[in-house]
Each structure stands twice: as C-alpha cells, then as structure tokens.
Amino acid sequence: MDLQDLFHFSETFALDGVEDPYVVVARRPAESVLGLRLTLALIQVSNLEWLSICASLCARDRSRAMAPEAATKLFGAPDFYMENGECLTDCMLPLIAMPSSPAELHTVYKYIRPDLARNLVARLQEPLAKCGSVLAMHQTVLEDMIITRLDDLIPEVAATCNDTLRFKFVSELR
Amino acid sequence: MNIQQLFQFPETYSGREGGLPHLIVARHSSGASLALRLTLNLFAVVDSTWVSILASFCARNRDHQPLDLATCAKIFSAFDFNMFERECLAEGVLPLVAMPCSPGEVRTVYESMRCNIVRNLATDLEWRIERSGLSLAISRSLLKKLIAFRLNDQFPAVPVTSNDIPSFLFSFNRADLRHNQKERERMMVTSQATQELLDQHIAKIETFNSLRRK
C-alpha cells in the first residue's frame, strides 16, 4: 500500500483550458490512466433540455492523449472521441428538465443522492472489468469523492420570495 | 344603463403598446377613465431580477384619447403617472420570486399568497380611487373577481419534469451536449436558461391573449 492509498489522496491531472482537474480512477500497466471529472451540463433528451450530471472521462498515456480505439481497448468505456487534442468520453445522468431552478435541482439530487455514487462507480467498473482493468482507488473512497464533488456542484439553494404582498409604484422601487 | 352595466361586463381599451387590454376600473366626473392591466414581468430590484406582477394603469379622456402627463397627475393624483415612450402610465409592481426560479416555483408562490395578493391590490386600488375623487366603474366584487381571473391566467401550472432513476448512461449524442465550462457559471446558466424560457412563456401568453381578443 503506498502513501496515496493510505491517506486517500487522489492523483489528478489537468487539461489546458479546463478549470477542474481529472481524478485518476483507473490505471493500466505502463502509464495509461483514465481520469474522471464531474460537471453539470445541459443536454437535449427528446424535445427537452435537461440539466444533467456529466461524468467526463479522459484517457491518457504517458501524459499524452490516447487514440480513441486504444482507450476503448484499455478501459472498455464506449464512444471515446477526440476533442481539443484529448481523448474523452461522457457518462450522463439527466436530473431535471428545463425550465427548472437550482432549488428544484437540489431537491431531485437529494432524492437520488444515496444511490448515485454507487451507481456511477458500478457504471465505471462495468467496462473496466471487461478488459481486465480495475479502479485506481478503493470503491468506497471513489464513492466518497464523487459525493463530495457533487455536493459542491449542487448546493442547497432556497428560492428567494417576497411575502410582503404590497404593490409599489415603480418609482418607489428604484 | 347600458348592456355592459347591466351584465357588468368590464369595458376595455388597448394601450398604445398593444398586448393585453386595459380594464376600465374608475371614472372621473369629467368623463376621463382609468384602466388597469395585470401582467407577469421580469423586474430588476437592486441587483436581482424578480418575476413580478405588473399593474399598469393608463388613462383616457371622454373621447378615449390618451391624456397628457399634467392632466393625469391632476385628475389621478393618487397614482404615480409617468411619461413612458408613447403613453402616460402608472406602473405598480409586486415582486414575487427572484431569479433563478422556475415557472413552477412562481406558480407555487402565487398560489400560497393568492387571496392576500388579490385583496391587497383591490383594497389599495379602491383607496387610491377614493383619494383621487374618482368613482369605481365596476362593483367591488367584480373588481376582485377580475383581478383574480386576470392573475390566474398569468400563472399557468407547469409541472416539474425530473428523473428519479440514478443511472448514468454512456452514448449521449455529443452534438447535443453543451458543457458548462466553469462550474461557477452554473447558477448563471441555470438562471439564463430559466429566464429565456420564462420570456418565451410570457411572449406566448401575450400572443395567446391577443389572439383571444381578436
């Protein structure tokens, strides 16, 4: 067990122009790594735009981008593509359709939160297992990390309402 | 007594800027009338944008011609008339919910306070009409009903569509994917998207009402 395992430090790498780093979640012999980055994104599902959790995966070999075919072969995840010189794929969870608010988003998130991290880790493990890869950290550590990150991304926000119920002329408000 | 008075149909006229008609709610002894229109609008209060109820008043003379600002200020002294682009208007605002919010939340807030909103607006209006020396053009009960109906039309029920299955999926169409580049912009994106949809929604209501009028 090395120092990272002992203290649950996670190894990360950053991409140019991307604010948050990718956390290494899988590793293959040599220096091929699979990084995970969680964000919120708007995606089109049927005719609606859904606010979704996006688990972006980035495959790298010796700190360089990997070819999509090689990434699929090593890590099993489907649909790798090249974007800005990086080998990426996305795993999505639509949460709430627009129009919606941050408060409603948090309500939905709170409802599915208990199963969410476990399901995402299972989804990541599925293709890894097929090609003989394993997670780079303990499953529970990864689940904790995912939940911590998602809690930051989707904070509890209450709607700001007015309960004075008094009309005012525009000039009085400005 | 004409047929409108007999059946208590409210008289209306259109403002110069179009949109929903104004309902005549008060009259002056000179024949001038004061009309009210209730709409849902986005309104900036300090540094927030609020989804608000906008009560817009306009005034006409006996011949249904718009009055100038000086005459409005004199006849309708309890109403704060100002010169807008094309017409003299007095606009009252009731901010309801701050953006970012969804149409569903706006409806919920309105529902929870509906009775008080209608009563307060009607009471305030009656007080201002009395203070200006005007007479109500319709009965008190009809005034309240009209306010309630008008407001109710402005807040359609929009259910929230959400997903309760916590399963992540690969293979979404990348062309449809729009990443938020920075997470700190998350709220802004939500707010903007909600606002755009709300704008569209308000525009649809306006169009619907104008078609209904025709």
Side-chain angles (χ1 to χ4, degrees), chain B residues 96-128:
Chain B
L96 282 178
V97 193
M99 298 295 286
C101 63
S102 71
E105 282 172 328
V106 177
R107 174 87 195 186
T108 306
V109 170
Y110 167 68
E111 286 279 352
S112 69
M113 305 190 289
R114 184 173 53 187
C115 295
N116 288 334
I117 289 173
V118 172
R119 192 187 59 216
N120 284 2
L121 178 56
T123 308
D124 185 74
L125 189 52
E126 282 178 50
W127 177 78
R128 286 177 192 277

Side-chain angles (χ1 to χ4, degrees), chain A residues 34-112:
Chain A
L34 184 70
L36 166 72
R37 177 172 167 262
L38 292 164
T39 54
L40 288 178
L42 286 169
I43 61 165
Q44 197 81 25
V45 184
S46 303
N47 290 324
L48 292 174
E49 204 162 39
W50 286 71
L51 203 52
S52 315
I53 298 171
C54 173
S56 171
L57 297 168
C58 176
R60 283 189 144 196
D61 183 30
R62 291 182 181 82
S63 305
R64 286 197 308 272
M66 195 180 274
E69 301 76 27
T72 301
K73 197 174 166 188
L74 277 180
F75 299 113
D79 299 325
F80 273 102
Y81 59 92
M82 296 302 290
E83 190 175 279
N84 299 326
E86 293 293 342
C87 179
L88 306 169
T89 189
D90 304 298
C91 195
M92 309 295 297
L93 172 58
L95 283 177
I96 189 165
M98 298 301 287
S100 60
S101 71
E104 287 167 331
L105 173 69
H106 186 265
T107 306
V108 175
Y109 167 66
K110 201 167 62 178
Y111 180 71
I112 60 173

Side-chain angles (χ1 to χ4, degrees), chain A:
Chain A
M1 183 180 275
D2 65 15
L3 199 64
Q4 287 204 328
D5 290 330
L6 196 64
F7 291 103
H8 295 165
F9 291 148
S10 43
E11 194 185 337
T12 61
F13 62 87
L15 303 188
D16 287 343
V18 179
E19 197 167 276
D20 312 305
Y22 281 79
V23 176
V24 174
V25 292
R27 184 186 301 280
R28 286 298 298 253
E31 290 174 44
S32 301
V33 293
L34 184 70
L36 166 72
R37 177 172 167 262
L38 292 164
T39 54
L40 288 178
L42 286 169
I43 61 165
Q44 197 81 25
V45 184
S46 303
N47 290 324
L48 292 174
E49 204 162 39
W50 286 71
L51 203 52
S52 315
I53 298 171
C54 173
S56 171
L57 297 168
C58 176
R60 283 189 144 196
D61 183 30
R62 291 182 181 82
S63 305
R64 286 197 308 272
M66 195 180 274
E69 301 76 27
T72 301
K73 197 174 166 188
L74 277 180
F75 299 113
D79 299 325
F80 273 102
Y81 59 92
M82 296 302 290
E83 190 175 279
N84 299 326
E86 293 293 342
C87 179
L88 306 169
T89 189
D90 304 298
C91 195
M92 309 295 297
L93 172 58
L95 283 177
I96 189 165
M98 298 301 287
S100 60
S101 71
E104 287 167 331
L105 173 69
H106 186 265
T107 306
V108 175
Y109 167 66
K110 201 167 62 178
Y111 180 71
I112 60 173
R113 186 179 177 272
D115 298 320
L116 207 140
R118 197 178 58 243
N119 285 8
L120 177 55
V121 172
R123 179 64 73 191
L124 294 176
Q125 277 179 316
E126 218 172 86
L128 288 176
K130 280 184 195 161
C131 54
S133 296
V134 288
L135 289 175
M137 60 182 86
H138 194 276
Q139 189 176 330
T140 51
V141 176
L142 182 55
E143 284 176 14
D144 285 349
M145 197 199 74
I146 288 168
I147 282 298
T148 307
R149 171 70 178 146
L150 289 178
D151 284 351
D152 285 346
L153 269 180
I154 310 174
E156 192 162 2
V157 191
T160 310
C161 308
N162 174 16
D163 56 3
T164 58
L165 304 181
R166 293 284 170 197
F167 279 83
K168 284 187 181 293
F169 280 109
V170 174
S171 53
E172 296 174 284
L173 282 166
R174 288 198 166 120

